[in-house]
């Protein structure tokens, strides 16, 4: 089955692997947004054909800034793109003790991790059809009762805000048949994790986690709506 899939935060790590996973299904069309789209461009050159078949549309945009909607509006119109799956995978992590966190750290993390999702989903509302699945990528650190880590207070708080936003969207959009969930990921071996926890070896690779997310994005909304689901073998 062909689907139109929008992935926000797709330039590297789990998001880039998610694009690869979604491309495995023939005819899927993926609109992939990130600030750095160099790897997405290489991928697009392989899957898009000269005869005009477009399967991957990389869009360079900073979702922490309000003006991203203009470039997205143009792309939706040009490719007649009607998102059926939207994954908000954008993540920014500043690892600092609570006492050292600045207002700028707060703004950077909340702009990327929460405000971008708010703006993206609000912008997309008129473009979403019945059956659409909205998925927020949150973190185990944001899951109530889970183990917490020093240095991640604001990051975890921002990811908790994203998760609850997804719960609330499920409620507000239920009459339109739109479903929304959040996945609270445990540790995955990516650039973000390596920077935050140098030397730590995560139990899962980005491609393994992306395979799970891809399957959940396609099939999970039949079984889950308005849920924050822990996806972790590493943290209690
Ligand atoms: N790795 C883990 O252990 C772990 C655990 C729990 C949750 N997560 C979450 O999983 C998601 C993926 O993380 P990852 O480990 O793959 O990290 P990553 O490699 O740093 O990827 C983060 C993604 O977000 C994009 N991004 C960041 N700021 C952006 C902005 N302002 N506008 C547009 N795109 C932006 C990045 O691309 P550009 O830099 O090109 O923009 C990249 O594609 C994140 O939401 C993260 O919080 C990860």
């Amino acid at each position: 089955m062909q689907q139109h899939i929008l992935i926000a935060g797709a330039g590297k790590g789990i998001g880039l692997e998610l694009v690869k996973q979604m491309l495995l299904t023939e005819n899927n069309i993926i609109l992939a947004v990130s600030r750095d789209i160099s790897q997405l461009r290489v991928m697009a050159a392989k899957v898009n054909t000269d005869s005009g078949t477009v399967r991957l549309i990389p869009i360079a945009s900073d979702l922490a800034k309000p003006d991203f909607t203009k470039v997205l509006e143009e792309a939706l119109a040009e490719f007649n793109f009607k998102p059926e799956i939207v994954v908000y995978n954008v993540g920014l992590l500043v690892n600092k003790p609570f006492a050292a966190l600045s207002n700028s750290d707060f703004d950077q993390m909340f702009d990327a991790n929460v405000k971008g999702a708010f703006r993206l989903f609000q912008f997309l509302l008129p473009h979403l059809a019945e059956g659409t699945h909205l998925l927020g990528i949150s973190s185990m650190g944001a899951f109530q009762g889970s183990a917490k880590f020093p240095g991640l207070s604001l990051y975890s708080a921002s990811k908790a805000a994203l998760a609850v936003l997804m719960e609330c969207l499920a409620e507000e959009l239920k009459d339109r048949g739109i479903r929304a969930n959040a996945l609270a990921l445990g540790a995955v071996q990516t650039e973000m994790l390596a920077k935050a926890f140098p030397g730590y070896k995560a139990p899962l690779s980005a491609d393994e986690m992306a395979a799970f997310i891809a399957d959940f994005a396609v099939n999970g909304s039949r079984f889950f709506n308005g849920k924050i689901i822990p996806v972790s073998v590493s943290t209690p």
Side-chain angles (χ1 to χ4, degrees):
M1 185 179 57
Q2 181 198 50
Q3 290 197 293
H4 287 195
I5 299 157
L6 193 160
I7 303 173
K12 61 184 175 190
I14 297 166
L16 188 69
E17 293 300 327
L18 185 57
V19 172
K20 282 188 202 161
Q21 288 290 330
M22 291 302 195
L23 283 170
L24 294 177
T25 301
E26 217 179 323
N27 299 330
N28 272 353
I29 300 177
I30 295 125
L31 199 147
V33 188
S34 235
R35 291 167 304 182
D36 177 354
I37 57 167
S38 48
Q39 297 195 72
L40 289 164
R41 279 211 173 110
V42 173
M43 223 183 265
K46 287 186 190 145
V47 296
N48 298 342
T49 64
D50 293 340
S51 55
T53 304
V54 175
R55 297 201 55 215
L56 175 57
I57 308 159
I59 305 275
S61 194
D62 185 341
L63 288 150
K65 303 215 169 104
D67 56 0
F68 71 80
T69 53
K70 189 174 176 296
V71 63
L72 271 188
E73 186 82 67
E74 286 165 8
L76 295 188
E78 181 181 349
F79 296 98
N80 194 23
F81 190 91
K82 305 210 183 321
E84 296 159 286
I85 292 174
V86 182
V87 183
Y88 194 81
N89 176 68
V90 170
L92 186 81
L93 187 159
V94 178
N95 181 356
K96 277 187 192 172
F98 181 71
L101 284 162
S102 64
N103 280 291
S104 158
D105 294 329
F106 183 101
D107 289 345
Q108 270 191 55
M109 278 188 277
F110 274 76
D111 281 356
N113 299 347
V114 190
K115 212 166 185 181
F118 155 67
R119 289 196 189 109
L120 178 68
F121 292 132
Q122 199 176 60
F123 157 76
L124 287 174
L125 281 180
H127 301 278
L128 303 178
E130 191 176 335
T132 299
H133 189 194
L134 307 177
L135 188 55
I137 303 301
S138 181
S139 166
M140 272 310 284
F143 193 74
Q144 192 180 21
S146 68
K148 299 293 182 270
F149 296 95
L152 300 192
S153 56
L154 278 184
Y155 168 76
S156 300
S158 70
K159 286 291 179 179
L162 173 70
V164 176
L165 179 67
M166 303 316 292
E167 278 189 292
C168 296
L169 281 179
E171 177 58 27
E172 288 209 22
L173 301 178
K174 68 180 182 199
D175 293 343
R176 290 179 55 187
I178 294 168
R179 298 202 162 169
N181 291 295
L183 296 178
L185 307 189
V188 182
Q189 199 58 47
T190 63
E191 193 182 307
M192 176 189 281
L193 186 94
K195 255 197 221 159
F197 300 103
Y200 177 79
K201 179 82 188 79
L204 288 172
S205 62
D207 60 323
E208 287 171 319
M209 184 55 91
F212 174 81
I213 297 172
D215 181 56
F216 185 84
V218 173
N219 299 308
S221 62
R222 277 191 287 143
F223 305 95
F224 297 92
N225 189 29
K227 299 291 181 286
I228 302 169
I229 301 153
V231 186
S232 173
V233 291
S234 57
T235 43

